Amino acid sequence: MNDPYRQDAALLRGMTQRRLGRRDAFRLAGLSATGLALAACGVQGKGTARPSSSAQVESEVEKYWSGKAKNGHVDFANWPLYMDPKQPELKEFTKRTGISVTYKEVIQETTSWYAKIQPQLAAGQSIDYDLMVVTNSIQLTQLIKLGYLVPLDHGRLPNFTKNVGPRYTQEAFDPGNVYTVPWASGMTGIAYNPKYVDTPPTSYSALWDPKYKGKVGMFSDSQEIANFGLFAIGVDPDKSTPADWEKAAAKLTEQRDSGIVRKYYDQSYIDPLAKGDIWICQAWSGDIFQKNLSDGTDLKFVVPEEGATIWTDNFMIPKTAANPVDAITLIDFFYEPAIAGSLAEYINYVTPVPAAKDAIVADAAKASGADRKTLETIAESPLVFPSDEDYAKLRTYVTLGNSEEHKKFESVFQPITTS
C-alpha cells in the first residue's frame, strides 16, 4: 500500500493462530482457581470511593491534572500480538509529537498482571508503565474501586469525544469513561456451518434443539456458558442475580444431560466446526472472521435476537504513572480514524471508531489483488464493524464486584462442564 504508516495487508493472511493466542489469554483471565485466589488479594488496601456526580468527577480530574506537563516519553504495556510488530502507528505518533514510546507485550492474562501491579500500586510505587490495556473483569473493577487509576481528562481527548462509537460511552463497568476508554473489543455469539445447518439460527433456543443432538459445541469457560444460559432464560447477564444464575445453570444442565452437547471446548472449537464434527456452537467473533479469512471457510456468526455479549480491552493510566500527559496524548491519537483503521487492519478485532471503516475502504482502493480483497473483507465485516442493530443487542458480562461473588458464580456454573 502507498501509505508508509499502513502495514502490508498480506500480513493478515494465515494468522489465525496469532488471534487464537490473544483470545485464549482473555479466556483465562480470572476464571481459574489460581485466578480466584489472585482476585481475592485485590481487596487489600484502602479503597477510594468512585465520584458519584459529574461535579465530583470534574473536581477529581482538575485535582489530578493541574500542573501536569508533557515529558516526551510513554511506557506502554499491552497484550501480545495486539499491534503490528513494526509499530507503524507508534512511529507516526513519535514523528508528529516528538513523544517516544517504549511498547512491551507484557500482559499475558488479567489475573497475573493484576497480581504483579497491585502491591506496587497499593504502596504508591511505580509499575514502570504509564499506560496499560486491561479487559473488563473483576480485576478492572478492583483497580477502579481501590483508586489505582487516573481519572481521565476528557478535555485532552478530543478525538475520542468526536470519533468513539456511542456503545463505548455506556460501559457498565465504567459509566462515562471516567477511568477507561476502549482499545478493541469482540463479541460472543452463535456460529454455525451452513453445510449442515439449513436454517440460520436466530435464537439461543437453537443450541437446545434436539435436531442438533450431539452436534452442539459449548464453551468450557464458566462465564461464557453462564451468559448463554442467562440469555436462554430471558435475562441480561449484566443485570443477573444469584437466583438467575441458579435458573440458568439448570437450563444448561438440561442441555448437557439430554446429550445435545458434543463437547465443552476451549479455543479448539473452531476446527471441529469447520470439519463438521459440530454444526453449531458458541463462538468468538474474531475466531470466525480469522478462520474464514485465512482458510477460505464459510462459517457464519450470528448475534441472536435475545442479544450477545461484548468484551472490551481498555486503555487506562495507573495512578503512579510518571508521564500521564504523554500517555493520554497517545490514547487520543488512536482515536484518529486513519490510525484506528491501521490498527484494525492488523488485529481484526472490533474497533471502537466507526469512521475507521472509511479509512480501510480508502486503503483498499489504493491496493490491488489479494491485498485489496482482504481490506475490503475487513471493511465490510460485521465482525469488525457491527451494525447498529447488532450493537443494540450487545450486553456486557456478569458484573462480579468482589471475590465472594466470583466464588459463588463459579460454584454454580463450573460443575456443568466438569462433572
Side-chain angles (χ1 to χ4, degrees):
M1 287 177 280
N2 297 327
D3 188 340
Y5 302 109
R6 290 284 199 272
Q7 69 286 349
D8 182 353
L11 291 172
L12 295 166
R13 294 188 293 279
M15 300 191 76
T16 301
Q17 188 57 48
R18 175 174 69 81
R19 240 68 72 179
L20 298 189
R22 168 65 190 96
R23 191 59 187 85
D24 196 51
F26 171 77
R27 180 186 62 79
L28 292 171
L31 298 177
S32 64
T34 301
L36 288 171
L38 290 173
C41 80
V43 300
Q44 299 173 2
K46 185 176 180 180
T48 300
R50 180 189 178 99
S52 59
S53 69
S54 59
Q56 286 181 308
V57 170
E58 290 175 8
S59 176
E60 289 297 314
V61 167
E62 173 63 25
K63 179 179 177 181
Y64 177 82
W65 289 97
S66 179
K68 296 290 193 302
K70 170 182 169 182
N71 294 323
H73 183 73
V74 179
D75 287 301
F76 183 5
N78 207 343
W79 298 74
L81 307 169
Y82 229 2
M83 183 185 293
D84 184 339
K86 297 177 183 178
Q87 301 177 5
E89 298 85 11
L90 297 183
K91 290 176 181 176
E92 172 69 356
F93 175 74
T94 298
K95 179 181 177 181
R96 283 203 223 163
T97 66
I99 300 171
S100 60
V101 182
T102 299
Y103 180 80
K104 294 186 179 181
E105 299 176 337
V106 292
I107 304 176
Q108 299 293 333
E109 59 169 320
T110 305
T111 48
S112 61
W113 178 249
Y114 182 79
K116 173 181 171 61
I117 66 174
Q118 190 272 335
Q120 296 166 293
L121 292 171
Q125 298 171 352
S126 171
I127 65 168
D128 297 325
Y129 294 98
D130 307 300
L131 184 62
M132 58 185 179
V133 173
V134 176
T135 309
N136 58 297
S137 58
I138 188 173
Q139 289 78 20
L140 175 53
T141 299
Q142 289 299 103
L143 287 169
I144 293 173
K145 282 187 174 181
L146 295 174
Y148 294 159
L149 302 180
V150 169
L152 300 176
D153 182 355
H154 283 248
R156 299 173 187 260
L157 294 169
N159 289 324
F160 169 81
T161 301
K162 180 180 178 181
N163 297 318
V164 70
R167 172 63 178 76
Y168 297 97
T169 63
Q170 304 165 20
E171 299 284 20
F173 56 85
D174 184 22
N177 304 101
V178 176
Y179 301 99
T180 69
V181 295
W183 164 266
S185 60
M187 299 173 284
T188 307
I190 294 175
Y192 68 97
N193 189 325
K195 291 181 180 179
Y196 307 99
V197 176
D198 296 329
T199 304
T202 59
S203 169
Y204 286 98
S205 62
L207 296 173
W208 276 259
D209 194 326
K211 73 179 179 181
Y212 298 131
K213 184 175 182 178
K215 295 296 183 180
V216 171
M218 298 290 285
F219 283 143
S220 57
D221 179 313
S222 300
Q223 195 158 30
E224 294 288 13
I225 63 165
N227 291 335
F228 273 41
L230 289 162
F231 278 126
I233 64 169
V235 175
D236 285 351
D238 56 359
K239 298 177 181 177
S240 64
T241 66
D244 294 326
W245 302 349
E246 297 286 354
K247 294 176 184 176
K251 182 74 172 176
L252 290 161
T253 301
E254 168 198 316
Q255 180 199 40
R256 180 197 65 192
D257 293 349
S258 64
I260 290 175
V261 179
R262 179 184 180 91
K263 184 178 177 180
Y264 294 95
Y265 292 91
D266 52 21
Q267 196 74 51
S268 60
Y269 73 92
I270 194 74
D271 286 333
L273 180 63
K275 291 188 296 184
D277 294 339
I278 55 175
W279 297 352
I280 185 171
C281 64
Q282 287 188 276
W284 291 308
S285 57
D287 288 355
I288 303 304
F289 181 87
Q290 280 297 314
K291 185 68 173 177
N292 289 340
L293 188 67
S294 62
D295 291 0
T297 52
D298 188 34
L299 305 177
K300 305 296 184 182
F301 183 88
V302 175
V303 174
E305 59 191 17
E306 298 96 335
T309 47
I310 184 170
W311 52 267
T312 306
D313 287 339
N314 304 277
F315 280 120
M316 60 201 69
I317 300 173
K319 72 172 185 178
T320 56
N323 305 297
V325 172
D326 308 87
I328 201 168
T329 303
L330 180 57
I331 291 173
D332 197 53
F333 176 77
F334 275 99
Y335 280 87
E336 291 185 14
I339 300 303
S342 175
L343 185 67
E345 286 173 14
Y346 185 77
I347 67 174
N348 302 160
Y349 285 104
V350 177
T351 172
V353 181
K357 180 175 183 176
D358 293 335
I360 298 174
V361 169
D363 278 353
K366 294 182 287 185
S368 61
D371 288 357
R372 181 169 188 158
K373 183 177 180 181
T374 296
L375 290 172
E376 288 174 343
T377 298
I378 294 169
E380 295 305 318
S381 175
L383 305 187
V384 180
F385 296 97
S387 66
D388 290 342
E389 180 182 5
D390 281 346
Y391 266 126
K393 294 190 290 184
L394 296 178
R395 303 290 182 266
T396 55
Y397 284 56
V398 175
T399 300
L400 301 171
N402 55 56
S403 61
E404 290 304 314
E405 286 185 0
H406 202 169
K407 290 175 183 178
K408 169 64 176 175
F409 181 86
E410 287 292 313
S411 73
V412 171
F413 291 104
Q414 197 172 61
I416 295 168
T417 62
T418 57
S419 60

